[in-house]
């Protein structure tokens, strides 16, 4: 297989901007590192994904996951909507919120600094090889050749840095952290950073093991003298455990002791490369054999200013696809929390959106590219995390909805069972978000057919969520529909009943749950109750200007046609809103398809209406639209979206930005390419449903299909010349 390498001729700057735009990421799910490749003082910024402030703490003895008793408010709002009184519903909506206190956020851990003082640097190169998951730096300085390699081992739970030089060299290692009250100890064998967070007493520890053929001297840091080969092995853990309600587990020192007792430094690199290759090369996608010598930032610049050759464009489009798979694999591995908004990388105390779990599109999108790539292990953290929400989510279901069975959560979540709505209704209310993410979980079964995992990790959450809706839906006799109430389309428009976003998601949840219940022979009465309601959910309808209606009341909005935009604005809708929540039936669900041509046409009208640049212009919105266009079999527009994402939403290190950096757009890009290459609804498989004119030739291997199958194919001049399903 081709080697996919991000490469650069200069170090990243030692600043937050350098961290975000230029430093290169490695990770093993739980641990993350950004490598700067500096030659004076090298900086290795590291994270451990469970290092979160917030949640239960001594200062918050009554921590309840943000929940408030708000069933009375819900009833009043439901009554108002029952009487078509949207005004009152709107007035009362801010009662349907949670409290912010204890929400917390993902914390940066620290930095390893290596004082090298190399000058007269020549032949500088740094990069990240995706096949091997190794970041490297190499250069000459004063007639000595230096090389460094960094990789995050999944099997050995650590990040390894190998430093070598052609002649003996000396340097000083220091560890620094902004965590208040942390202790740093230096000795001959290791450097230890430990403490507990001020906010919630979460214990943390980082241990950096030192091994060198030089001499070690401990002073203000650790000096390595006259060494040609040095290996640093970084282990880190916290006492976080995803166990409700304490969210605490084993002491981090014990965890690290155990990890070190199994650690094999001599074979770690070989095993790491083997595992990384197996993972990465399971599935391949090639548009060109060409591999340019130019650096990635230059290639990106050429793409942006339209001076890239055809082959260079194809090369970058392929590389960005591969990178989306790399990033999810680096930030989601069994035993870790799932990838958060920034995967597993964060260098500042207050990252945007606390670098949390956003469930009204973002977390879903991070996992849209795993299954076709065969990255099944990578999905396990998501299954575990969502399953863990059942207990705190049952409290939310009770306190806001008076629902006795089942669970729910809303737009944003933390590792501490924060399942309540956000502290502002206008972005924070989204009970259907909990059902939408279950599609990403159920897909695990659809692809692998693994009934044990379905039973142990997926079904109970699906059933509980479906039970929540069975109790919570209202029957609207005028519409002859079961509706969610109140419902809100992320993150704009009026408060109504039964909007398309919620109806579509609930409908899909019910269909999936019926199917899963039948697969596992669960109780017949439960299946029947779902079937009865499911047929009356009616998610999709076409509106007066030929669109998929986002709100069922749209046609009643008064005003002349030519003032449509203004009328919509008066109802709180944003023109070109970045979310396309009413089109979930097209992607990721399959309810709008070639057998429903009217809905396909209406979906096109709605999608075009959203425009290329969604409000705030985040990368994820373009990836989403590319997926949607691919399902419309419109390769030209799907391509336009992914190429706009490359041109406008990638930093030099190819991280997608909102801004700031958000990993969803990277994974969403790969998902969009998967959709452009193959349509697979579980029944029909169509190869090249949305191939753009820019991709006349190509080759794909190991494309995982639903039903535990794989597909290889090749095309020339837009025609498939070989295909094999196995
Ligand atoms: C959703 C989006 C925002 C952002 C945030 C993390 O709320 O609407 O654009 O991506 O998640």
């Amino acid at each position: 297989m081709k080697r996919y390498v991000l490469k650069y001729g200069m170090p990243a700057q030692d600043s937050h901007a350098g961290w975000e735009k230029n430093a290169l990421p490695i990770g093993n799910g739980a641990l993350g590192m950004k490598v700067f490749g500096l030659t004076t003082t090298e900086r290795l910024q590291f994270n451990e994904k469970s290092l979160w402030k917030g949640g239960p703490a001594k200062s918050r003895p009554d921590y309840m996951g943000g929940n408030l008793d708000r069933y009375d408010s819900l009833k009043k709002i439901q009554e108002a909507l029952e009487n078509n009184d949207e005004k009152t519903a709107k007035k009362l909506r801010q009662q349907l919120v949670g409290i912010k206190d204890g929400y917390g956020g993902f914390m940066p851990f620290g930095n390893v600094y290596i004082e090298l003082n190399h000058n007269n640097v020549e032949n500088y190169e740094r990069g990240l090889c995706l096949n091997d998951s190794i970041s490297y730096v190499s250069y000459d300085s004063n007639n000595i050749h230096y090389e460094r390699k960094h990789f995050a081992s999944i099997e050995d739970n650590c990040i390894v840095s190998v430093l070598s030089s052609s002649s003996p060299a000396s340097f000083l290692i220091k560890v620094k952290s902004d965590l208040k009250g942390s202790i740093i100890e230096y000795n001959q064998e290791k450097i230890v950073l430990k403490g507990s967070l001020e906010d919630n007493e979460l214990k943390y520890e980082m241990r950096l093991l030192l091994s060198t053929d030089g001499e070690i001297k401990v002073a203000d840091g650790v000096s390595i003298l006259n060494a040609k080969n040095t290996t640093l092995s970084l282990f880190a853990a916290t006492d976080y455990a995803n166990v409700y309600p304490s969210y605490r587990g084993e002491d981090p020192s014990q965890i690290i002791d155990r990890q070190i007792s199994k650690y094999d430094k001599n074979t770690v690199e070989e095993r790491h490369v083997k595992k990384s290759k197996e993972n990465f090369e399971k599935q391949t996608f090639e548009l060109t054999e060409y591999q340019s010598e130019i650096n990635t930032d230059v290639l990106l610049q050429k793409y942006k200013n339209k001076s890239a050759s055809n082959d260079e464009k194809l090369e970058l489009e392929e590389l960005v696809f591969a990178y989306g798979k790399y990033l999810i694999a680096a930030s989601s591995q069994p035993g870790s929390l799932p990838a958060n908004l920034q995967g597993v990388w964060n260098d500042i105390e207050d990252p945007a959106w606390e670098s949390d779990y956003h469930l009204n599109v973002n977390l879903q999108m991070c996992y849209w590219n795993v299954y076709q790539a065969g990255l099944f292990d990578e999905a396990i953290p998501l299954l575990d995390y969502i399953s863990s929400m059942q207990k705190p989510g049952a409290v939310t279901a009770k306190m806001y909805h008076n629902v006795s069975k089942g669970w729910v959560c809303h737009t944003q979540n933390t590792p501490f069972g924060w399942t309540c709505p956000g502290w502002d209704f206008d972005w924070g209310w989204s009970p259907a978000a909990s059902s939408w993410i279950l599609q990403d979980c159920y897909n695990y079964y659809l692809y692998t057919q693994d009934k044990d995992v379905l039973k142990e990790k997926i079904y109970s959450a699906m059933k509980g969520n479906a039970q929540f809706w069975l109790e919570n839906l209202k029957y609207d006799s005028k519409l002859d529909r079961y509706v969610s109430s109140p419902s809100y389309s992320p993150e704009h428009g009026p408060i109504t009943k039964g909007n398309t976003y919620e109806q579509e998601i609930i409908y899909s949840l019910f269909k999936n749950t019926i199917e899963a219940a039948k697969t596992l022979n669960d109780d017949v009465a439960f299946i029947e109750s779902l079937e009865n309601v499911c047929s009356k959910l009616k998610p999709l309808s076409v509106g007066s200007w030929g669109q998929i209606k986002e709100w069922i009341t749209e046609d009643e909005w008064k005003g002349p046609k030519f003032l449509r935009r203004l009328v919509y604005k008066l109802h709180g809708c944003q023109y070109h809103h970045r979310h396309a929540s009413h089109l979930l039936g097209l992607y990721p669900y399959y309810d709008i398809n070639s057998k429903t041509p009217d809905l396909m046409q209406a979906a096109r009208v709605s999608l075009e209406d959203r425009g290329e640049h969604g409000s705030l212009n985040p990368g994820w919105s373009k990836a989403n639209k590319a997926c949607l266009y691919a399902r419309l079999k419109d390769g030209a527009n799907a391509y336009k979206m992914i190429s706009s994402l490359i041109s406008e939403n990638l930093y030099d290190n190819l991280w997608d930005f909102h801004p700031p950096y958000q990993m969803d757009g990277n994974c969403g890009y790969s998902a969009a390419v998967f959709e452009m290459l193959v349509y697979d609804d579980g029944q029909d498989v169509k190869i090249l449903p949305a191939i753009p004119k820019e991709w006349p030739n190509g080759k794909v291997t190991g494309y995982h299909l639903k039903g535990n199958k794989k597909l290889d194919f090749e095309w020339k001049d837009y025609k498939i010349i070989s295909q094999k399903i196995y």
Side-chain angles (χ1 to χ4, degrees):
M1 186 197 179
K2 259 166 91 170
R3 298 197 52 89
Y4 291 92
V5 184
L6 279 69
K7 44 184 189 283
Y8 304 86
M10 279 200 341
Q13 274 191 16
D14 184 7
S15 63
H16 174 63
W19 175 88
E20 186 173 30
K21 297 174 182 171
N22 302 101
L24 294 171
I26 53 171
N28 65 4
L31 304 178
M33 180 177 276
K34 291 292 307 265
V35 181
F36 285 66
L38 291 147
T39 55
T40 312
T41 299
E42 172 63 304
R43 177 176 170 198
L44 308 171
Q45 182 275 333
F46 60 90
N47 288 103
E48 201 284 341
K49 208 195 282 128
S50 65
L51 190 72
W52 262 73
K53 62 183 173 188
K58 278 193 190 138
S59 62
R60 288 184 293 270
D62 304 325
Y63 174 79
M64 280 274 291
N67 288 299
L68 294 167
D69 238 320
R70 288 295 156 91
Y71 178 55
D72 284 347
S73 309
L74 181 94
K75 261 196 316 201
K76 281 185 203 147
I77 292 174
Q78 286 179 337
E79 272 161 30
L81 290 171
E82 205 62 16
N83 300 324
N84 296 322
D85 180 4
E86 275 185 27
K87 241 189 180 166
T88 303
K90 192 174 173 192
K91 220 162 71 198
L92 296 176
R93 77 191 191 288
Q94 292 302 2
Q95 295 182 6
L96 292 186
V97 292
I99 29 171
K100 193 176 178 182
D101 185 40
Y103 189 75
F106 180 36
M107 298 287 283
F109 207 135
N111 290 276
V112 177
Y113 288 101
I114 309 174
E115 291 180 17
L116 303 157
N117 297 316
H118 296 156
N119 48 30
N120 303 321
V121 170
E122 290 176 311
N123 306 320
Y124 181 92
E125 247 189 79
R126 76 180 168 102
L128 174 64
C129 171
L130 305 184
N131 307 58
D132 298 347
S133 305
I134 289 186
S135 174
Y136 63 88
V137 187
S138 90
Y139 53 88
D140 300 309
S141 157
N142 299 326
N143 297 321
I144 302 181
H145 181 68
Y146 293 96
E147 275 185 22
R148 298 193 288 276
K149 286 189 272 194
H150 310 270
F151 57 91
S153 159
I154 295 169
E155 290 165 318
D156 288 33
N157 302 295
C158 63
I159 296 183
V160 182
S161 299
V162 182
L163 293 77
S164 50
S165 51
S166 57
S167 303
S170 303
F171 47 90
L172 175 70
I173 307 172
K174 283 185 178 175
V175 167
K176 289 187 186 163
S177 172
D178 290 333
L179 296 170
K180 283 202 193 100
S182 58
I183 298 168
I184 298 172
E185 295 163 355
Y186 295 100
N187 71 37
Q188 285 282 326
E189 294 90 42
K190 60 182 183 286
I191 303 175
V192 179
L193 161 67
K194 62 182 176 187
S196 57
L197 292 184
E198 219 181 20
D199 173 77
N200 61 7
E201 305 91 39
L202 187 84
K203 287 191 203 154
Y204 57 82
E205 180 169 334
M206 185 285 296
R207 234 181 274 173
L208 188 75
L209 305 189
L210 313 167
S211 150
T212 179
D213 58 8
E215 226 186 293
I216 299 184
K217 270 211 173 134
V218 181
D220 180 22
V222 169
S223 293
I224 309 276
L225 306 170
N226 301 316
K228 281 176 82 174
N229 298 294
T230 300
T231 302
L232 311 175
S233 312
L234 186 152
F235 293 81
T238 73
D239 68 347
Y240 170 81
N242 196 354
V243 179
Y244 175 83
S246 70
Y247 293 100
R248 292 297 182 278
E250 201 181 353
D251 194 88
S253 301
Q254 276 171 17
I255 298 174
I256 295 175
D257 283 347
R258 198 177 45 250
Q259 290 173 342
I260 290 177
S261 72
K262 293 186 200 147
Y263 177 49
D264 183 357
K265 183 173 77 65
N266 298 322
T267 59
V268 65
E269 182 174 343
E270 195 187 316
R271 285 180 293 113
H272 164 79
V273 171
K274 187 165 173 267
K275 172 131 183 115
S276 170
K277 273 201 175 135
E278 267 168 21
N279 238 358
F280 187 75
E281 298 182 355
K282 254 185 214 171
Q283 186 282 318
T284 70
F285 161 61
E286 272 184 37
L287 292 169
T288 172
E289 283 172 6
Y290 178 79
Q291 288 198 283
S292 63
E293 289 301 311
I294 56 176
N295 287 329
T296 305
D297 45 350
V298 179
L299 187 61
L300 180 63
Q301 200 48 44
K302 286 179 88 176
Y303 195 97
K304 286 181 180 181
N305 64 26
K306 302 200 178 346
S307 65
S309 70
N310 202 36
D311 272 327
E312 285 170 345
K313 281 200 318 216
L314 296 176
E315 187 190 11
L316 186 59
E317 285 156 6
E318 245 182 77
L319 181 63
V320 178
F321 166 82
Y323 197 42
K325 297 197 301 174
Y326 169 86
L327 287 172
I328 190 67
S331 56
S332 184
Q333 290 295 333
S336 77
L337 283 162
N340 60 39
L341 279 172
Q342 297 189 165
V344 57
W345 301 279
N346 171 39
D347 70 326
I348 52 175
E349 197 173 327
D350 295 303
W353 291 285
E354 287 75 32
S355 194
D356 64 8
Y357 297 97
H358 256 67
L359 264 60
N360 65 358
V361 71
N362 318 86
L363 186 64
Q364 283 86 344
M365 192 178 281
C366 286
Y367 287 87
W368 280 354
N369 68 355
V370 289
Y371 300 117
Q372 293 98 322
L375 297 175
F376 301 118
D377 277 357
E378 285 66 8
I380 296 291
L382 181 74
L383 309 188
D384 287 339
Y385 179 67
I386 300 305
S387 174
S388 79
M389 279 193 193
Q390 292 175 81
K391 284 186 184 160
V395 178
T396 302
K398 180 81 195 146
M399 290 178 77
Y400 290 80
H401 303 268
N402 198 28
V403 159
S404 59
K405 260 195 209 153
W407 71 279
V408 69
C409 71
H410 288 261
T411 311
Q412 54 173 30
N413 310 91
T414 73
F416 302 115
W418 208 90
T419 45
C420 69
W423 46 92
D424 185 322
F425 180 95
D426 293 351
W427 52 259
W429 180 267
S430 194
S434 57
S435 320
W436 182 5
I437 194 70
L438 286 165
Q439 179 69 40
D440 289 68
C441 299
Y442 187 53
N443 277 344
Y444 185 98
Y445 172 72
L446 292 180
Y447 280 88
T448 61
Q449 303 287 294
D450 187 330
K451 280 192 197 169
D452 294 337
V453 175
L454 177 65
K455 194 169 168 195
E456 282 155 28
K457 290 186 188 282
I458 309 170
Y459 181 64
S460 152
M462 287 171 76
K463 183 172 183 177
N465 197 245
Q467 281 169 325
F468 164 81
W469 286 113
L470 277 179
E471 265 189 67
N472 190 46
L473 286 167
K474 300 256 164 273
Y475 180 69
D476 184 314
S477 52
K478 221 167 92 199
L479 296 166
D480 188 26
R481 268 187 171 203
Y482 280 99
V483 291
S484 60
S485 176
S487 71
Y488 186 65
S489 201
E491 299 177 14
H492 72 150
I495 302 179
T496 55
K497 304 181 276 193
N499 69 31
T500 303
Y501 166 75
E502 300 210 338
Q503 299 295 115
E504 175 64 34
I505 291 174
I506 301 163
Y507 174 72
S508 304
L509 170 78
F510 279 22
K511 275 200 314 189
N512 288 339
T513 309
I514 292 166
E515 198 178 89
K518 287 182 180 166
T519 306
L520 297 176
N521 295 321
D522 198 15
D523 115 53
V524 178
F526 174 61
I527 296 174
E528 262 175 28
S529 57
L530 288 178
E531 280 170 342
N532 289 340
V533 178
C534 196
S535 61
K536 283 200 183 297
L537 277 162
K538 292 186 191 149
L540 300 161
S541 58
V542 178
S544 61
W545 45 281
Q547 85 283 23
I548 297 281
K549 283 200 276 178
E550 192 163 353
W551 301 275
I552 45 173
T553 46
E554 260 173 66
D555 288 345
E556 296 157 24
W557 299 354
K558 304 260 176 308
K561 249 189 178 169
F562 72 98
L563 286 180
R564 169 161 64 85
R565 300 256 178 257
L566 186 68
V567 173
Y568 271 66
K569 202 171 164 193
L570 291 174
H571 282 85
C573 313
Q574 272 179 47
Y575 181 35
H576 286 177
H577 197 271
R578 59 194 174 284
H579 287 264
S581 312
H582 49 330
L583 298 181
L584 290 182
L586 180 61
Y587 182 93
Y589 304 122
Y590 294 91
D591 297 311
I592 304 176
N593 57 52
S594 49
K595 290 177 196 129
T596 61
D598 294 351
L599 293 177
M600 283 285 260
Q601 175 52 28
R604 172 175 291 280
V605 169
S606 289
L607 185 54
E608 284 172 359
D609 187 64
R610 280 295 208 254
E612 177 185 340
H613 300 103
S615 51
L616 306 175
N617 198 24
W620 68 255
S621 178
K622 289 176 189 167
N624 189 13
K625 286 173 194 150
C627 293
L628 291 164
Y629 275 119
R631 286 279 173 91
L632 286 177
K633 303 191 177 74
D634 182 343
N637 274 307
Y639 180 81
K640 187 173 162 195
M641 290 299 158
I642 57 165
S643 108
S644 169
L645 189 155
I646 295 182
S647 300
E648 296 181 2
N649 295 83
L650 293 186
Y651 292 128
D652 282 351
N653 58 6
L654 304 188
W655 262 7
D656 159 84
F657 60 84
H658 192 294
Y661 159 57
Q662 242 177 245
M663 199 178 85
D664 41 22
N666 285 108
C667 299
Y669 175 103
S670 317
V673 172
F674 276 133
E675 287 305 317
M676 290 160 78
L677 295 172
V678 177
Y679 173 87
D680 171 22
D681 62 12
Q683 312 279 321
D684 287 337
V685 173
K686 289 201 178 68
I687 302 175
L688 302 184
I691 204 73
K693 71 172 184 336
E694 288 79 0
W695 295 354
N697 311 311
K699 193 177 165 191
V700 169
T701 64
Y703 190 115
H704 287 64
L705 299 170
K706 299 197 176 88
N708 196 19
K709 286 176 257 172
K710 285 195 254 181
L711 165 69
D712 295 348
F713 61 98
E714 196 172 349
W715 72 101
K716 236 187 184 126
D717 295 327
Y718 311 99
K719 294 217 171 62
I720 297 158
I721 55 166
S722 71
Q723 56 174 300
K724 185 173 95 180
I725 292 188
Y726 53 107

